[in-house]
Amino acid sequence: MRSLILFLSVLMMLLVLIFQRLGALTGTCTQGSVGPLMTGTILSGPILAMVSVCLVLLWRSAVSPGETTGLAMLAAASLIVVVSNVEVWKRTLLLGGSACGPDYNYTVEGWDADQLAIGFAYGLWPFLLTIATVSLLLRRSKLRH
């Protein structure tokens, strides 16, 4: 059962990558509109929540030796999401600007809720999932020795 949960978590992270990349690549940001990026955020949010629940379920008990590969795949998938969206979350979370780029910063007043939601879903949440998964892997290696 735990292996199935892990397998589904990896598949869900790949879905997150697809939804977010479609949002980032299909958007034209006409007049600073972040609609396509927000669509990627809305579609990937529930999936990220399900992956988070799966990690909590896996955290509650010791990781078996066969699950180490699955956890490594989940960590890699989460990291791929973070790295592939680096420009989006860097612009929204670190620079406080528009997800569309510096040409559209005039459309954002301070820390806009839409921009923060995009940065959270495209960067911070997958980053936290990566850290949690690596922590599980380290916990597994620590228990093994």
Side-chain angles (χ1 to χ4, degrees):
M1 181 68 172
R2 290 171 46 90
S3 296
L4 178 64
I5 291 173
L6 198 52
F7 177 73
L8 291 175
S9 295
V10 172
L11 287 180
M12 286 188 282
M13 281 309 294
L14 294 177
L15 268 177
V16 165
L17 180 63
I18 290 169
F19 288 148
Q20 289 185 352
R21 293 314 306 154
L22 283 175
L25 296 176
T26 61
T28 59
C29 283
T30 304
Q31 297 179 353
S33 172
V34 292
L37 292 165
M38 203 60 192
T39 302
T41 299
I42 292 169
L43 292 175
S44 64
I47 299 170
L48 287 167
M50 287 188 279
V51 173
S52 300
V53 169
C54 290
L55 274 177
V56 168
L57 292 173
L58 291 171
W59 191 273
R60 294 181 57 131
S61 58
V63 178
S64 68
E67 295 168 352
T68 305
T69 303
L71 283 172
M73 289 174 53
L74 182 57
S78 299
L79 191 60
I80 287 170
V81 171
V82 172
V83 171
S84 67
N85 295 318
V86 69
E87 288 301 316
V88 174
W89 61 261
K90 183 176 78 171
R91 285 191 299 252
T92 56
L93 293 177
L94 298 181
L95 302 177
S98 173
C100 293
D103 293 341
Y104 297 100
N105 283 345
Y106 68 90
T107 64
V108 180
E109 294 180 18
W111 293 97
D112 189 33
D114 290 347
Q115 305 295 332
L116 288 176
I118 291 168
F120 183 72
Y122 277 66
L124 187 59
W125 201 344
F127 180 71
L128 293 173
L129 288 174
T130 304
I131 290 173
T133 308
V134 169
S135 297
L136 264 173
L137 279 168
L138 292 174
R139 180 178 166 203
R140 166 69 188 122
S141 67
K142 193 175 188 180
L143 291 175
R144 193 171 56 188
H145 293 308

